[in-house]
Short mmCIF file of all heavy atoms in Angstrom, two decimals:
data_model
loop_
_atom_site.label_atom_id
_atom_site.label_comp_id
_atom_site.label_asym_id
_atom_site.label_seq_id
_atom_site.Cartn_x
_atom_site.Cartn_y
_atom_site.Cartn_z
N LEU A 919 120.55 102.89 99.37
CA LEU A 919 119.99 103.78 100.37
C LEU A 919 118.46 103.85 100.25
O LEU A 919 117.77 104.08 101.25
CB LEU A 919 120.58 105.20 100.23
CG LEU A 919 122.05 105.35 100.61
CD1 LEU A 919 122.50 106.80 100.42
CD2 LEU A 919 122.29 104.93 102.07
N LYS A 920 117.95 103.64 99.04
CA LYS A 920 116.49 103.77 98.83
C LYS A 920 115.93 102.50 98.14
O LYS A 920 116.60 101.95 97.27
CB LYS A 920 116.19 105.00 97.97
CG LYS A 920 116.59 106.32 98.60
CD LYS A 920 116.23 107.46 97.67
CE LYS A 920 116.63 108.81 98.26
NZ LYS A 920 116.29 109.92 97.33
N PRO A 921 114.70 102.13 98.49
CA PRO A 921 114.08 101.00 97.81
C PRO A 921 113.94 101.22 96.32
O PRO A 921 114.07 100.29 95.52
CB PRO A 921 112.68 100.94 98.48
CG PRO A 921 112.91 101.51 99.85
CD PRO A 921 113.90 102.62 99.63
N SER A 922 113.68 102.47 95.91
CA SER A 922 113.52 102.74 94.48
C SER A 922 114.79 102.44 93.70
O SER A 922 114.75 102.01 92.55
CB SER A 922 113.11 104.19 94.26
OG SER A 922 114.07 105.09 94.79
N GLN A 923 115.93 102.64 94.36
CA GLN A 923 117.22 102.34 93.70
C GLN A 923 117.43 100.85 93.55
O GLN A 923 117.92 100.36 92.52
CB GLN A 923 118.37 102.98 94.49
CG GLN A 923 118.29 104.51 94.55
CD GLN A 923 119.24 105.13 95.56
OE1 GLN A 923 119.70 104.45 96.50
NE2 GLN A 923 119.53 106.41 95.41
N ALA A 924 117.07 100.09 94.59
CA ALA A 924 117.17 98.65 94.51
C ALA A 924 116.22 98.12 93.43
O ALA A 924 116.59 97.20 92.65
CB ALA A 924 116.81 98.01 95.89
N ALA A 925 115.01 98.67 93.34
CA ALA A 925 114.05 98.23 92.33
C ALA A 925 114.59 98.53 90.94
O ALA A 925 114.44 97.69 90.02
CB ALA A 925 112.72 98.97 92.54
N ARG A 926 115.21 99.68 90.77
CA ARG A 926 115.78 100.03 89.46
C ARG A 926 116.91 99.07 89.08
O ARG A 926 117.01 98.67 87.92
CB ARG A 926 116.29 101.48 89.48
CG ARG A 926 116.81 101.94 88.15
CD ARG A 926 117.42 103.32 88.21
NE ARG A 926 118.06 103.65 86.94
CZ ARG A 926 118.94 104.61 86.77
NH1 ARG A 926 119.31 105.35 87.80
NH2 ARG A 926 119.45 104.86 85.58
N ALA A 927 117.75 98.72 90.05
CA ALA A 927 118.84 97.81 89.77
C ALA A 927 118.33 96.44 89.31
O ALA A 927 118.84 95.87 88.34
CB ALA A 927 119.72 97.64 91.01
N ILE A 928 117.31 95.94 89.98
CA ILE A 928 116.72 94.65 89.61
C ILE A 928 116.12 94.72 88.22
O ILE A 928 116.27 93.80 87.41
CB ILE A 928 115.64 94.23 90.65
CG1 ILE A 928 116.30 93.90 92.00
CG2 ILE A 928 114.83 93.04 90.12
CD1 ILE A 928 115.31 93.65 93.10
N GLU A 929 115.46 95.83 87.90
CA GLU A 929 114.78 95.97 86.64
C GLU A 929 115.76 96.16 85.47
O GLU A 929 115.55 95.63 84.37
CB GLU A 929 113.84 97.17 86.71
CG GLU A 929 113.02 97.41 85.44
CD GLU A 929 111.94 96.38 85.24
OE1 GLU A 929 111.61 95.65 86.20
OE2 GLU A 929 111.46 96.27 84.11
N GLU A 930 116.84 96.93 85.67
CA GLU A 930 117.68 97.35 84.56
C GLU A 930 119.00 96.63 84.41
O GLU A 930 119.63 96.70 83.37
CB GLU A 930 117.93 98.86 84.68
CG GLU A 930 116.68 99.71 84.58
CD GLU A 930 116.97 101.20 84.65
OE1 GLU A 930 118.15 101.58 84.57
OE2 GLU A 930 116.00 101.98 84.76
N CYS A 931 119.46 95.92 85.45
CA CYS A 931 120.78 95.26 85.33
C CYS A 931 120.70 94.07 84.36
O CYS A 931 119.62 93.58 84.06
CB CYS A 931 121.29 94.80 86.70
SG CYS A 931 120.48 93.33 87.37
N ASP A 932 121.85 93.64 83.90
CA ASP A 932 121.93 92.53 82.97
C ASP A 932 121.29 91.28 83.58
O ASP A 932 121.48 91.00 84.77
CB ASP A 932 123.39 92.24 82.61
CG ASP A 932 123.52 91.28 81.44
OD1 ASP A 932 123.28 90.08 81.68
OD2 ASP A 932 123.84 91.73 80.35
N ARG A 933 120.52 90.54 82.79
CA ARG A 933 119.80 89.39 83.32
C ARG A 933 120.74 88.29 83.84
O ARG A 933 120.34 87.42 84.61
CB ARG A 933 118.87 88.82 82.25
CG ARG A 933 117.71 89.73 81.91
CD ARG A 933 116.66 89.02 81.10
NE ARG A 933 116.00 87.96 81.86
CZ ARG A 933 115.05 87.20 81.35
NH1 ARG A 933 114.64 87.37 80.12
NH2 ARG A 933 114.49 86.23 82.09
N SER A 934 122.01 88.32 83.38
CA SER A 934 122.94 87.30 83.83
C SER A 934 123.18 87.39 85.33
O SER A 934 123.61 86.41 85.97
CB SER A 934 124.29 87.43 83.07
OG SER A 934 124.90 88.65 83.37
N TYR A 935 122.93 88.58 85.93
CA TYR A 935 123.14 88.75 87.38
C TYR A 935 121.99 88.09 88.18
O TYR A 935 122.11 87.88 89.38
CB TYR A 935 123.22 90.22 87.75
CG TYR A 935 124.49 90.88 87.26
CD1 TYR A 935 124.45 91.88 86.29
CD2 TYR A 935 125.73 90.52 87.76
CE1 TYR A 935 125.61 92.49 85.82
CE2 TYR A 935 126.90 91.13 87.31
CZ TYR A 935 126.83 92.11 86.34
OH TYR A 935 127.96 92.72 85.89
N ARG A 936 120.86 87.85 87.50
CA ARG A 936 119.68 87.23 88.16
C ARG A 936 119.35 87.91 89.51
O ARG A 936 119.20 87.25 90.53
CB ARG A 936 119.91 85.72 88.37
CG ARG A 936 120.07 84.98 87.04
CD ARG A 936 120.12 83.48 87.22
NE ARG A 936 120.29 82.81 85.93
CZ ARG A 936 119.27 82.46 85.13
NH1 ARG A 936 118.04 82.77 85.47
NH2 ARG A 936 119.50 81.86 83.98
N ALA A 937 119.31 89.24 89.45
CA ALA A 937 119.10 90.04 90.68
C ALA A 937 117.67 89.87 91.23
O ALA A 937 116.70 89.88 90.48
CB ALA A 937 119.36 91.52 90.37
N ILE A 938 117.59 89.71 92.53
CA ILE A 938 116.30 89.65 93.24
C ILE A 938 116.47 90.40 94.57
O ILE A 938 117.59 90.64 95.01
CB ILE A 938 115.86 88.21 93.51
CG1 ILE A 938 116.89 87.47 94.41
CG2 ILE A 938 115.64 87.43 92.22
CD1 ILE A 938 116.44 86.11 94.86
N LEU A 939 115.34 90.72 95.18
CA LEU A 939 115.39 91.29 96.52
C LEU A 939 115.90 90.23 97.50
O LEU A 939 115.47 89.08 97.46
CB LEU A 939 114.03 91.79 96.98
CG LEU A 939 113.60 93.20 96.57
CD1 LEU A 939 112.20 93.47 97.05
CD2 LEU A 939 114.57 94.26 97.12
N ALA A 940 116.80 90.62 98.38
CA ALA A 940 117.38 89.67 99.33
C ALA A 940 116.33 89.37 100.42
O ALA A 940 115.50 90.19 100.75
CB ALA A 940 118.63 90.23 99.95
N GLU A 941 116.44 88.17 100.97
CA GLU A 941 115.59 87.79 102.09
C GLU A 941 115.98 88.62 103.31
O GLU A 941 117.10 89.06 103.46
CB GLU A 941 115.78 86.30 102.41
CG GLU A 941 115.11 85.38 101.40
CD GLU A 941 113.59 85.35 101.56
OE1 GLU A 941 113.12 85.67 102.64
OE2 GLU A 941 112.91 85.03 100.55
N PRO A 942 115.01 88.83 104.23
CA PRO A 942 115.33 89.53 105.47
C PRO A 942 116.47 88.85 106.20
O PRO A 942 116.66 87.64 106.07
CB PRO A 942 114.03 89.45 106.27
CG PRO A 942 112.98 89.22 105.25
CD PRO A 942 113.61 88.44 104.16
N LYS A 943 117.23 89.62 106.96
CA LYS A 943 118.39 89.04 107.65
C LYS A 943 118.02 87.99 108.67
O LYS A 943 118.85 87.20 109.09
CB LYS A 943 119.16 90.17 108.34
CG LYS A 943 119.92 91.06 107.34
CD LYS A 943 120.76 92.08 108.05
CE LYS A 943 121.56 92.92 107.06
NZ LYS A 943 122.43 93.91 107.73
N ASN A 944 116.73 87.94 109.07
CA ASN A 944 116.36 86.94 110.08
C ASN A 944 116.23 85.55 109.45
O ASN A 944 116.06 84.56 110.15
CB ASN A 944 115.09 87.32 110.83
CG ASN A 944 113.92 87.52 109.85
OD1 ASN A 944 114.04 87.22 108.67
ND2 ASN A 944 112.81 88.02 110.37
N LYS A 945 116.30 85.46 108.12
CA LYS A 945 116.33 84.12 107.49
C LYS A 945 117.79 83.76 107.25
O LYS A 945 118.57 84.58 106.79
CB LYS A 945 115.55 84.14 106.16
CG LYS A 945 115.61 82.80 105.44
CD LYS A 945 114.76 82.78 104.18
CE LYS A 945 114.81 81.43 103.53
NZ LYS A 945 113.96 81.32 102.34
N SER A 946 118.17 82.54 107.55
CA SER A 946 119.58 82.16 107.42
C SER A 946 120.06 82.32 105.99
O SER A 946 119.37 81.97 105.05
CB SER A 946 119.77 80.71 107.87
OG SER A 946 119.28 79.80 106.89
N SER A 947 121.26 82.88 105.84
CA SER A 947 121.80 83.10 104.50
C SER A 947 122.00 81.83 103.76
O SER A 947 121.85 81.72 102.56
CB SER A 947 123.11 83.89 104.60
OG SER A 947 124.07 83.17 105.35
N GLU A 948 122.36 80.74 104.47
CA GLU A 948 122.60 79.47 103.82
C GLU A 948 121.32 78.95 103.18
O GLU A 948 121.31 78.48 102.06
CB GLU A 948 123.10 78.40 104.84
CG GLU A 948 124.53 78.61 105.30
CD GLU A 948 124.62 79.66 106.40
OE1 GLU A 948 123.58 80.18 106.83
OE2 GLU A 948 125.76 79.95 106.81
N SER A 949 120.19 79.10 103.89
CA SER A 949 118.90 78.65 103.35
C SER A 949 118.54 79.48 102.12
O SER A 949 118.07 78.93 101.12
CB SER A 949 117.83 78.80 104.43
OG SER A 949 116.56 78.57 103.86
N PHE A 950 118.78 80.77 102.20
CA PHE A 950 118.43 81.67 101.08
C PHE A 950 119.29 81.35 99.86
O PHE A 950 118.81 81.24 98.72
CB PHE A 950 118.61 83.11 101.50
CG PHE A 950 118.27 84.10 100.42
CD1 PHE A 950 117.09 83.97 99.70
CD2 PHE A 950 119.15 85.15 100.11
CE1 PHE A 950 116.76 84.88 98.70
CE2 PHE A 950 118.83 86.04 99.13
CZ PHE A 950 117.64 85.91 98.42
N GLU A 951 120.62 81.12 100.09
CA GLU A 951 121.51 80.80 98.98
C GLU A 951 121.05 79.49 98.31
O GLU A 951 121.05 79.36 97.10
CB GLU A 951 122.95 80.62 99.48
CG GLU A 951 123.61 81.93 99.93
CD GLU A 951 124.86 81.63 100.73
OE1 GLU A 951 125.55 80.67 100.40
OE2 GLU A 951 125.12 82.37 101.70
N HIS A 952 120.67 78.53 99.13
CA HIS A 952 120.22 77.22 98.63
C HIS A 952 119.02 77.36 97.73
O HIS A 952 118.95 76.85 96.63
CB HIS A 952 119.93 76.30 99.80
CG HIS A 952 119.43 74.94 99.39
ND1 HIS A 952 118.09 74.72 99.10
CD2 HIS A 952 120.09 73.77 99.20
CE1 HIS A 952 117.96 73.44 98.76
NE2 HIS A 952 119.14 72.85 98.82
N ASP A 953 118.01 78.14 98.22
CA ASP A 953 116.79 78.34 97.45
C ASP A 953 117.09 79.07 96.15
O ASP A 953 116.53 78.79 95.10
CB ASP A 953 115.76 79.14 98.27
CG ASP A 953 115.24 78.36 99.44
OD1 ASP A 953 115.46 77.15 99.46
OD2 ASP A 953 114.62 78.99 100.31
N TYR A 954 117.99 80.06 96.25
CA TYR A 954 118.34 80.89 95.09
C TYR A 954 119.02 80.04 94.00
O TYR A 954 118.65 80.10 92.83
CB TYR A 954 119.28 82.04 95.53
CG TYR A 954 119.69 82.95 94.43
CD1 TYR A 954 118.85 83.98 94.01
CD2 TYR A 954 120.90 82.80 93.78
CE1 TYR A 954 119.23 84.87 93.02
CE2 TYR A 954 121.29 83.68 92.77
CZ TYR A 954 120.43 84.71 92.40
OH TYR A 954 120.83 85.56 91.41
N TYR A 955 119.99 79.24 94.43
CA TYR A 955 120.68 78.36 93.47
C TYR A 955 119.68 77.41 92.79
O TYR A 955 119.71 77.21 91.59
CB TYR A 955 121.75 77.54 94.17
CG TYR A 955 123.14 78.12 94.06
CD1 TYR A 955 123.93 78.28 95.18
CD2 TYR A 955 123.63 78.52 92.82
CE1 TYR A 955 125.21 78.82 95.09
CE2 TYR A 955 124.90 79.05 92.71
CZ TYR A 955 125.69 79.20 93.85
OH TYR A 955 126.95 79.72 93.73
N SER A 956 118.79 76.84 93.62
CA SER A 956 117.85 75.87 93.11
C SER A 956 116.92 76.49 92.06
O SER A 956 116.53 75.85 91.10
CB SER A 956 116.98 75.28 94.23
OG SER A 956 117.79 74.60 95.17
N SER A 957 116.59 77.78 92.27
CA SER A 957 115.64 78.45 91.37
C SER A 957 116.29 79.04 90.15
O SER A 957 115.64 79.21 89.12
CB SER A 957 114.92 79.57 92.13
OG SER A 957 114.22 79.03 93.22
N ASN A 958 117.59 79.38 90.23
CA ASN A 958 118.20 80.15 89.15
C ASN A 958 119.25 79.44 88.32
O ASN A 958 119.54 79.88 87.22
CB ASN A 958 118.85 81.42 89.75
CG ASN A 958 117.80 82.44 90.12
OD1 ASN A 958 117.17 83.06 89.28
ND2 ASN A 958 117.61 82.63 91.42
N MET A 959 119.86 78.37 88.82
CA MET A 959 120.87 77.69 88.03
C MET A 959 120.26 77.00 86.83
O MET A 959 119.26 76.31 86.96
CB MET A 959 121.62 76.67 88.92
CG MET A 959 122.54 77.29 89.92
SD MET A 959 123.92 78.14 89.19
CE MET A 959 124.98 76.74 88.81
N ARG A 960 120.84 77.18 85.66
CA ARG A 960 120.33 76.52 84.47
C ARG A 960 120.61 75.03 84.56
O ARG A 960 121.65 74.62 85.06
CB ARG A 960 121.01 77.10 83.22
CG ARG A 960 120.71 78.56 82.99
CD ARG A 960 121.11 78.96 81.58
NE ARG A 960 122.52 78.72 81.34
CZ ARG A 960 123.51 79.56 81.66
NH1 ARG A 960 123.21 80.71 82.25
NH2 ARG A 960 124.76 79.27 81.39
#
């Protein structure tokens, strides 16, 4: 409900979740998933 809550989740959740702010909905989810996988997969 609040940006501060999302910021707290990113900061405090386990690093294995690799949490980041999601891209705006006007960017295709497929493109975002692709970029995310490329940046985060070991």
